[in-house]
């Protein structure tokens, strides 16, 4: 006999929920749904106001130049290097990216730990969770409606689980992230080398601007002052029209060249200021050395030794070596994912249900799971990962070739810049002496004035080209340093003052161990005979350089000792 709706104890009877009734619950759900709908409709694009942008700008400007030591004396090249390393904003970005990669590594280490999860559930209902039974033969009720659950109930469990497959995958993820930290360090090295190369070039251009700006302006004023006289000669017919026009053309050509040089000089100090993070428009001076002390020295180091050092130290090659190691770890991780996973778990539980005999218990389990489809994808995944490893190695080899070519190009450019600088230096000396002779000679005619003005413009232009060619030689030297992978400093720049950092740069000397050099030579498969052959076959720019014939790769100390100015 089935339970009648009016029968006593029937499951259809209403049971009070307690303090929370159906109407209150329905009202709460309705309010919550309304709040969610209103919140979703309220989202719309909200651009920054002018006041917000202005406040942000002021804050950024203060942060850009905060905590910087002021420039209190003429700036030397080493001090410019130090300020660039310590304050350049692009360098700070690279440092922060490196720090962020370290944070990612710290997070990856936590993935190796077992997973610990906590779960709690509080439930309530307005009717009992009751049920009845009936016979499958007679279709008659065989059990009165009954329940084994309270109306108000709390359950909770703390699950500790460890998946062996996930552990293996997390291990290789952590190793890959560790290599990415090293890649970030190489990227920072590369950025610093490029920064110092730019500072080296900009410093000497700023030095030229400081030394020659007044001379250029004086020559322009003298040439412009001579133009009215030249036009007067033409209008009054004191000379032939052709000679008068030639005279004016020579003056205008000189003025044009001087004005072009003036424009180049005008931005030189601003360029250096941006690299060493001096506020735009803030005055500063350069410790300009005498022109007699501006010397460039040729490299007396075998090309073969520089090749070995470049292959060892260049940040691009080192970064690709780490990328190849990441690719190997990715292969192992892909193979590991093809295997079934085993999960071991243990979880203590609590349940407030009064019908239970035990309210607290601990459960454990071992779970095996995997995808049979992995058996189908394995023949594709394995060769795909093998090709990925080969690709990483080929990229590194291609970079090796590119760096070797870049090294030889930088090497030739440096010697060409030395030859150019020495030629410009001779020309500048001749122009200076010629201008002195012409200026000391008494000149009363217009032609004499033209000769003096043109000699003055030529002398100023020669001095400017002297500084420019010296800056180009320094830039070529910096390019050679960057290609080889020379680091000026191996200290924490954040903890040093500008003066201490400048002194550390000046005294930096890092040598490579002979063991490391021999290992690299063996790895490259290059014997002594091939190195000697490369050294002897190296081109001799201008026929003036005799190479040393040692077989050890060049050290950073050798570079700085032989190339210091």
């Amino acid at each position: 006999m089935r339970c009648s709706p009016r029968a006593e104890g029937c499951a259809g009877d209403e049971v009070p929920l307690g303090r929370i009734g159906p109407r209150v619950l329905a009202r709460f759900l309705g309010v919550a749904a309304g709040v969610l709908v209103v919140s979703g409709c309220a989202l719309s694009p909200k651009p920054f106001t002018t006041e917000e942008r202005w406040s942000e700008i002021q804050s950024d400007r203060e942060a850009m130049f905060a905590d910087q030591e002021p420039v209190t004396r003429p700036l030397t090249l080493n001090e410019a290097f130090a300020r660039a390393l310590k304050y350049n904003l692009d360098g700070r970005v690279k440092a922060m990216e490196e720090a962020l990669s370290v944070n990612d590594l710290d997070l990856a280490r936590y993935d190796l730990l077992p997973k610990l999860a906590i779960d709690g559930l509080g439930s309530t209902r307005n009717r009992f969770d009751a049920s009845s039974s009936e016979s499958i033969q007679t279709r008659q009720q065989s059990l009165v409606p009954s329940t084994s659950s309270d109306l108000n109930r709390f359950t909770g469990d703390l699950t500790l689980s460890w998946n062996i497959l996930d552990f293996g995958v997390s291990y290789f993820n952590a190793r890959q992230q560790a290599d990415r930290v090293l890649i970030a360090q190489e990227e920072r090295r590369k950025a610093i080398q490029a920064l110092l190369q730019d500072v080296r070039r900009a410093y000497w251009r700023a030095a030229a601007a400081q030394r020659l700006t007044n001379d250029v302006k004086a020559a322009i004023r003298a040439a412009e002052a001579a133009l009215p006289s030249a036009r007067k000669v033409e209008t009054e017919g004191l000379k032939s029209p052709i000679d008068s026009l030639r005279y004016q053309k020579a003056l205008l050509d000189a003025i044009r060249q001087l004005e072009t040089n003036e424009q180049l000089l005008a931005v030189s100090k601003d360029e250096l200021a941006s690299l060493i993070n001096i506020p735009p428009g803030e005055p500063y001076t350069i410790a300009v050395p005498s022109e007699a002390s501006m010397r460039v020295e040729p490299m007396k180091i075998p090309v073969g030794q520089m090749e070995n050092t470049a292959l060892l130290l260049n940040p691009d090659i080192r970064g690709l070596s780490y990328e190849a190691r990441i690719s190997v770890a990715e292969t192992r991780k892909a193979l590991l994912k093809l295997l079934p996973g085993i999960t071991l778990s243990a979880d203590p539980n609590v349940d407030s249900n009064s019908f239970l005999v035990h309210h607290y218990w601990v459960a454990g389990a071992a779970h095996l799971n995997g995808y049979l489809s992995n058996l189908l994808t394995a023949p594709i995944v394995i060769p795909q990962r093998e090709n990925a490893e080969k690709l990483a190695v080929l990229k590194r080899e291609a970079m090796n070739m590119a760096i070797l070519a870049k090294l030889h190009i930088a090497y030739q450019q440096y010697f060409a810049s030395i030859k150019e600088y020495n030629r410009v230096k001779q020309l500048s000396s001749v122009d200076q002496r010629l201008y002195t002779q012409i200026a000391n000679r008494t000149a009363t005619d217009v032609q004499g004035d033209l000769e003096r003005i043109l000699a003055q413009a030529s002398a100023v232009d020669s001095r400017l080209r002297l500084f420019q060619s010296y800056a180009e030689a320094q830039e070529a030297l910096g390019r050679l340093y960057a290609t080889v992978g020379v680091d000026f400093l191996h200290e924490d720049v954040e903890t040093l003052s500008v003066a201490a950092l400048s002194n550390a740069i000046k005294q930096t000397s890092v040598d490579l161990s002979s063991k490391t050099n021999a290992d690299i030579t063996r790895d490259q498969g290059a014997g002594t005979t091939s190195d000697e052959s490369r050294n002897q076959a190296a081109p001799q720019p201008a026929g003036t350089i005799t190479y040393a014939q040692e077989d050890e790769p060049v050290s950073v100390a050798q570079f700085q000792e032989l190339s210091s100015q």
Side-chain angles (χ1 to χ4, degrees), residues 30-192:
V31 172
V35 170
L36 291 176
V37 172
V38 172
S39 300
C41 295
L43 294 177
S44 60
K46 185 181 179 182
F48 285 109
T49 63
T50 303
E51 291 77 11
E52 291 173 337
R53 283 291 298 124
W54 181 250
S55 176
E56 186 179 62
I57 290 170
Q58 295 298 320
S59 177
D60 287 347
R61 288 180 67 93
E62 292 178 3
M64 285 162 56
F65 308 108
D67 302 326
Q68 289 191 184
E69 299 179 34
V71 180
T72 58
R73 60 181 182 180
L75 202 63
T76 65
L77 178 60
N78 286 332
E79 289 172 346
F81 284 155
R83 297 188 73 90
L85 287 173
K86 193 172 180 66
Y87 301 132
N88 182 268
L89 294 179
D90 290 332
R92 294 183 191 179
V93 169
K94 289 297 180 182
M96 188 58 64
E97 289 177 351
E98 181 182 347
L100 184 61
S101 66
V102 173
N103 295 145
D104 292 337
L105 174 59
D106 293 337
L107 292 175
R109 291 194 182 105
Y110 281 98
D111 290 338
L112 298 174
L113 300 176
K115 303 299 184 289
L116 184 63
I118 186 172
D119 185 22
L121 174 63
S123 62
T124 183
R125 54 189 298 147
N126 67 333
R127 295 181 180 180
F128 279 112
D129 183 14
S131 62
S132 179
S133 301
E134 72 175 18
S135 173
I136 61 172
Q137 296 178 349
T138 63
R139 310 302 295 175
Q140 297 295 319
Q141 182 178 358
S142 62
L143 183 66
V144 296
S146 60
T147 184
S148 61
S149 177
D150 294 331
L151 290 177
N152 300 312
R153 185 179 178 183
F154 171 79
T155 60
D157 67 90
L158 184 66
T159 304
L160 179 66
S161 62
W162 187 56
N163 187 288
I164 298 178
L165 179 60
D166 288 346
F167 173 80
V169 172
S170 298
Y171 171 76
F172 287 113
N173 283 336
R175 288 187 55 177
Q176 289 176 314
Q177 187 57 45
D179 285 334
R180 291 188 182 98
V181 171
L182 299 175
I183 291 175
Q185 293 176 357
E186 296 301 327
E187 289 293 334
R188 187 183 181 191
R189 284 186 60 225
K190 181 180 177 181
I192 289 176

Side-chain angles (χ1 to χ4, degrees), residues 112-365:
L112 298 174
L113 300 176
K115 303 299 184 289
L116 184 63
I118 186 172
D119 185 22
L121 174 63
S123 62
T124 183
R125 54 189 298 147
N126 67 333
R127 295 181 180 180
F128 279 112
D129 183 14
S131 62
S132 179
S133 301
E134 72 175 18
S135 173
I136 61 172
Q137 296 178 349
T138 63
R139 310 302 295 175
Q140 297 295 319
Q141 182 178 358
S142 62
L143 183 66
V144 296
S146 60
T147 184
S148 61
S149 177
D150 294 331
L151 290 177
N152 300 312
R153 185 179 178 183
F154 171 79
T155 60
D157 67 90
L158 184 66
T159 304
L160 179 66
S161 62
W162 187 56
N163 187 288
I164 298 178
L165 179 60
D166 288 346
F167 173 80
V169 172
S170 298
Y171 171 76
F172 287 113
N173 283 336
R175 288 187 55 177
Q176 289 176 314
Q177 187 57 45
D179 285 334
R180 291 188 182 98
V181 171
L182 299 175
I183 291 175
Q185 293 176 357
E186 296 301 327
E187 289 293 334
R188 187 183 181 191
R189 284 186 60 225
K190 181 180 177 181
I192 289 176
Q193 291 168 2
L195 172 63
L196 296 185
Q197 179 181 343
D198 293 339
V199 170
R200 186 186 293 271
R201 179 189 66 249
Y203 178 87
W204 291 109
R205 290 183 177 179
Q210 181 173 302
R211 179 68 64 84
L212 301 177
T213 296
N214 292 334
D215 294 342
V216 171
K217 291 181 178 179
I220 291 176
R221 287 194 298 268
E224 289 178 339
L227 274 177
S229 299
R231 295 190 181 99
K232 183 178 180 181
V233 169
E234 179 188 6
T235 56
E236 294 181 358
L238 300 179
K239 285 183 177 256
S240 66
I242 294 178
D243 291 339
S244 299
L245 292 174
R246 284 176 178 171
Y247 175 50
Q248 293 182 49
K249 183 178 183 299
L251 284 176
L252 291 173
D253 285 340
I255 292 173
R256 179 179 58 82
Q257 182 63 39
L258 290 170
E259 287 178 343
T260 300
N261 294 336
E262 184 182 30
Q263 294 173 3
L264 294 176
L265 295 176
V267 300
S268 298
K269 296 191 75 172
D270 290 333
E271 180 184 3
L272 178 62
S274 67
L275 293 173
I276 61 179
N277 208 44
I278 292 179
E282 181 175 311
Y284 67 96
T285 57
I286 300 293
V288 185
S290 63
E291 296 177 18
S293 64
M294 294 167 53
R295 299 186 303 272
V296 287
E297 299 292 339
M299 288 285 180
K300 298 180 180 179
I301 305 172
V303 177
Q305 293 182 4
M306 285 192 289
E307 287 179 358
N308 290 340
T309 306
L311 295 176
L312 171 69
L313 296 179
N314 186 274
D316 289 323
I317 297 177
R318 293 169 68 94
L320 288 176
S321 294
Y322 294 129
E323 289 286 359
R325 198 158 70 180
I326 289 175
S327 181
V328 172
E330 186 68 28
T331 298
R332 296 177 180 176
K333 188 169 65 175
L335 296 177
L336 193 61
K337 289 180 179 179
L338 297 176
L339 302 176
I342 300 176
T343 302
L344 306 177
S345 64
D347 54 313
N349 294 263
V350 60
D351 195 330
S352 66
N353 188 7
S354 61
F355 292 93
L356 295 177
V357 176
H358 302 289
H359 297 282
Y360 305 95
W361 71 95
V362 177

Side-chain angles (χ1 to χ4, degrees), residues 62 116 122 174 211 415 431 480 484:
E62 292 178 3
L116 184 63
R211 179 68 64 84
F415 278 103
D431 281 336
L480 189 59
V484 174

